């Protein structure tokens, strides 16, 4: 028996090794092929040429490049050039888009030195830092020396994938103590004296309705859940609203079915509205308290499937606050953590500290305490990432100052806490003009008009960024610069 198991283990290891090497070779080949194609290439519309009165270069990552929009006409640098041309028709101003998707601050700084020589800009508009958390092995240095070979290999997707798998396994161990999620789900009961209720109890309620075989057409709730089970969400929503208006059925039961219908239909805001109304009307209802925990997790999972990872973490935290003993939200949060920049470890740890201060009994939950420690440990690691961003941006500011180039720094329009914190700090310490996109976007509604699901700007969002940058350029007098 041992021999048979050993052979199977050897075969599995050989398969895993072969798969790893195949992926590594494939990625290396694709990268080398891309370098050959791009060697010496610069798009025609970006070639330096002529001598405009003012030349502005916009540097950064995909937010500058124009992810998900027409880069040549809809990305903010193109919109900015049109804005300036409209308001100052006699002035020849060139705005060059030098955004590179997924570039981190070290790559930007190295490129910036070459771009300054090639374009001789009067103004540099910079937005960078969000990608550093996704390429943590970029920085293999001794002093200011950079090792391109190590940086190349450790930035390979295969190495990053391995790191994410490692973090996921660590998160699973922290959240389950070695037990399967099936085991934990079946016995998910509060282990503390807190007033929270188990998430799984409402999940069982929803699944019971989903499995219901007997249908009683005379029972309003039976009919309502039949709409959900058959995928007729719009009809079900209308029927539920009519039932609530007429008051002909159990109000709590109807509201829970309505919340499920709205979420199944992708209407997250409406789901929240129903839950808030249920809590106001039935503050002592155990079902409503259970549903609050359940739907926070369910909304988080819905957002995760839409690749809105940062927003999903916000709902996982809400689920933890409602039910600190259920493991799924902890594991899901750790799983998507490295796929987003909206929450850094300090922000997550701070949210959990706030929960603990509000209800000290949360500290008795081993899950809660374990994950607070996990994200406290992450803070130490991320402090190095933050210092890395700061060092690179400080050098970029010094480079522009030595070359007599005006530097403008802007922050991200979404709450990328670490990157935005450093960008504002560098601007403040170096007395540089600062574009506060984050505050401007916070006042815009509806959010989806300006930000796509992956947090990148829509065409309307790029227009707002361009207006913000233009206003700061005018206020700082940077459009009056003349070539000598």
């Amino acid at each position: 028996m041992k021999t048979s198991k050993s052979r199977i283990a050897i075969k599995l290891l050989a398969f895993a090794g072969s798969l790893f090497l195949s992926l590594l070779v494939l990625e290396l080949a694709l990268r080398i092929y891309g370098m050959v194609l791009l060697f010496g290439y610069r798009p025609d519309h970006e070639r330096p040429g002529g001598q405009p009165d003012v030349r502005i270069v916009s540097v950064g990552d995909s937010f500058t490049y124009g992810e998900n929009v027409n880069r040549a006409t809809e990305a903010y640098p193109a919109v900015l050039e049109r804005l300036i041309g409209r308001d100052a028709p006699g002035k020849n101003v060139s705005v060059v888009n030098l955004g590179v998707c997924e570039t981190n601050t070290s790559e930007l700084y190295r490129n910036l030195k070459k771009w300054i020589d090639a374009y001789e800009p009067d103004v540099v508009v910079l937005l960078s830092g969000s990608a550093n958390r996704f390429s943590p092995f970029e920085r293999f240095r001794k002093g200011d020396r950079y090792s391109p070979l190590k940086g190349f290999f450790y930035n390979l997707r295969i190495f990053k994938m391995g790191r994410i798998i490692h973090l996921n396994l660590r998160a699973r161990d922290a959240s389950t103590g070695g037990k399967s999620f099936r085991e934990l789900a079946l016995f998910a009961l509060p282990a503390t004296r807190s007033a929270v209720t188990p998430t799984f109890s409402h999940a069982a309620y929803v699944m019971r309705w989903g499995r219901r075989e007997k249908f009683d057409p005379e029972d309003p709730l039976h009919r309502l859940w039949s709409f959900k089970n058959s995928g007729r969400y719009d009809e079900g929503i209308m029927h539920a609203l009519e039932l609530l208006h007429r008051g002909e059925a159990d109000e709590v039961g109807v509201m829970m079915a309505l919340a499920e219908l709205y979420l199944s239909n992708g209407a997250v805001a409406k789901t929240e509205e129903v839950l808030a109304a249920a809590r106001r009307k039935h503050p002592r209802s155990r079902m409503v308290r259970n549903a609050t925990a359940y739907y926070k997790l369910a909304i988080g999972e819905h957002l995760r499937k839409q690749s809105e990872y940062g927003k999903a973490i916000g709902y996982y935290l809400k689920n933890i606050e409602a039910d600190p003993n259920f493991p799924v939200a902890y594991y899901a949060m750790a799983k998507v953590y490295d796929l987003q920049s909206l929450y850094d470890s300090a922000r997550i740890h701070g949210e959990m500290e706030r929960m603990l201060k509000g209800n000290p009994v949360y500290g008795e939950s081993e899950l809660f305490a374990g994950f607070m420690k996990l994200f406290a440990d992450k803070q130490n690691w991320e402090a190095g990432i933050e210092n890395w961003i700061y060092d690179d941006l400080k050098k970029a500011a010094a480079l522009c100052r030595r070359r007599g180039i005006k530097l403008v720094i802007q922050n991200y329009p979404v709450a990328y806490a670490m990157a935005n914190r450093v960008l504002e700090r560098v601007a403040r310490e170096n007395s540089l003009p600062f574009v506060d996109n984050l505050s401007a976007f916070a006042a815009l509604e509806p959010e989806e008009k300006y930000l796509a699901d992956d947090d990148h700007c829509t065409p309307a969002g790029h227009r707002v960024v361009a207006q913000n940058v233009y206003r700061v350029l005018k206020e700082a007098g940077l459009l009056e610069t003349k070539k000598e």
Side-chain angles (χ1 to χ4, degrees), residues 196-226:
V196 297
T197 52
T199 296
F200 189 73
S201 62
H202 197 77
Y205 169 81
V206 172
M207 286 188 287
R208 176 169 59 84
W209 277 103
R211 291 195 306 266
R212 185 174 290 276
E213 297 177 2
K214 294 181 180 180
F215 171 63
D216 181 0
E218 302 300 320
D219 188 316
L221 279 182
H222 280 221
R223 189 175 178 196
L224 191 55
W225 278 88
S226 72

Side-chain angles (χ1 to χ4, degrees), residues 80 97 104 143 158 228 232 238 242 245 281 296 303 404 420 438 482:
L80 176 61
N97 184 342
N104 58 47
I158 189 71
K228 189 268 176 184
R232 296 153 60 197
M238 293 299 297
E242 288 177 9
H245 178 70
K281 289 188 172 184
K296 298 306 181 187
L303 292 169
N420 283 345
L438 182 63
K482 298 287 183 181

Side-chain angles (χ1 to χ4, degrees), residues 179-477:
K179 297 178 182 178
S180 71
F181 283 122
R182 181 173 179 79
E183 287 180 272
L184 289 161
L186 291 174
F187 301 101
L189 296 171
T192 69
R193 298 187 302 277
S194 64
V196 297
T197 52
T199 296
F200 189 73
S201 62
H202 197 77
Y205 169 81
V206 172
M207 286 188 287
R208 176 169 59 84
W209 277 103
R211 291 195 306 266
R212 185 174 290 276
E213 297 177 2
K214 294 181 180 180
F215 171 63
D216 181 0
E218 302 300 320
D219 188 316
L221 279 182
H222 280 221
R223 189 175 178 196
L224 191 55
W225 278 88
S226 72
F227 285 117
K228 189 268 176 184
N229 296 335
S230 61
R232 296 153 60 197
Y233 306 132
D234 290 329
E235 291 180 67
I237 289 168
M238 293 299 297
H239 184 61
L241 292 173
E242 288 177 9
L243 288 174
L244 289 174
H245 178 70
R246 296 199 300 261
E248 294 180 357
D250 170 46
E251 186 174 58
V252 171
V254 173
M255 290 180 119
M256 296 304 95
L258 181 58
E260 184 70 22
L261 284 160
Y262 272 133
L263 186 58
S264 298
N265 212 23
V268 170
K270 288 291 186 180
T271 306
E272 289 272 50
E273 285 179 17
V274 172
L275 293 174
R279 288 195 299 272
R280 286 195 304 271
K281 289 188 172 184
H282 306 279
R284 296 181 181 276
S285 168
R286 181 180 177 86
M287 182 183 289
V288 171
R289 292 200 305 271
N290 285 345
T292 298
Y294 169 79
Y295 282 109
K296 298 306 181 187
L297 177 61
I299 291 171
E301 287 296 277
H302 170 78
L303 292 169
R304 178 185 63 79
K305 291 173 184 176
Q306 302 298 317
S307 299
E308 297 186 61
Y309 303 118
K311 294 175 185 175
I313 283 182
Y315 280 94
Y316 294 145
L317 285 168
K318 290 177 181 179
N319 171 262
I320 289 169
E321 186 166 15
D323 183 358
N325 297 286
F326 193 64
V328 176
Y330 294 97
Y331 176 62
M333 181 169 67
K335 187 173 182 179
V336 303
Y337 177 77
D338 280 315
L339 302 176
Q340 55 82 48
S341 294
L342 197 60
Y343 283 81
D344 62 4
S345 59
R347 184 175 178 187
I348 292 177
H349 190 267
E351 285 291 315
M352 296 183 78
E353 278 190 326
R354 177 189 59 76
M355 297 177 203
L356 187 59
K357 287 178 181 177
N359 189 353
V361 79
Y362 278 41
E364 297 179 24
S365 165
E366 292 183 7
L367 270 172
F368 191 89
F371 263 76
M372 277 200 76
K373 184 179 185 306
L374 176 66
F375 281 97
D377 292 342
K378 279 181 178 287
Q379 284 186 72
N380 296 327
W381 178 76
E382 287 190 349
I385 303 294
E386 185 162 345
N387 289 334
W388 166 25
I389 298 172
Y390 175 74
D391 291 344
D392 287 336
L393 296 184
K394 188 170 65 172
K395 287 191 294 185
L399 173 63
C400 289
R401 188 165 53 247
R402 288 196 307 270
R403 299 292 294 269
I405 298 165
K406 303 299 183 182
L407 177 62
V408 175
I409 291 181
Q410 55 180 322
N411 63 11
Y412 289 91
V414 288
Y416 292 172
M418 179 191 296
N420 283 345
R421 186 164 58 240
V422 178
L423 287 161
E424 185 171 2
R425 177 186 172 190
V426 171
R428 183 179 64 252
E429 290 180 354
N430 292 273
S431 301
L432 298 172
F434 181 68
V435 182
D436 187 2
N437 290 312
L438 182 63
S439 297
F441 273 70
L444 298 176
E445 292 183 355
E447 181 182 274
E448 57 269 19
K449 179 180 177 181
Y450 303 95
L451 291 171
D453 288 345
D454 61 355
D455 289 340
H456 284 91
C457 290
T458 63
H462 276 281
R463 290 195 293 272
V464 174
V465 172
Q467 291 163 0
N468 295 340
V469 174
Y470 181 44
R471 183 175 60 254
V472 170
L473 289 172
K474 285 183 66 176
E475 291 172 354

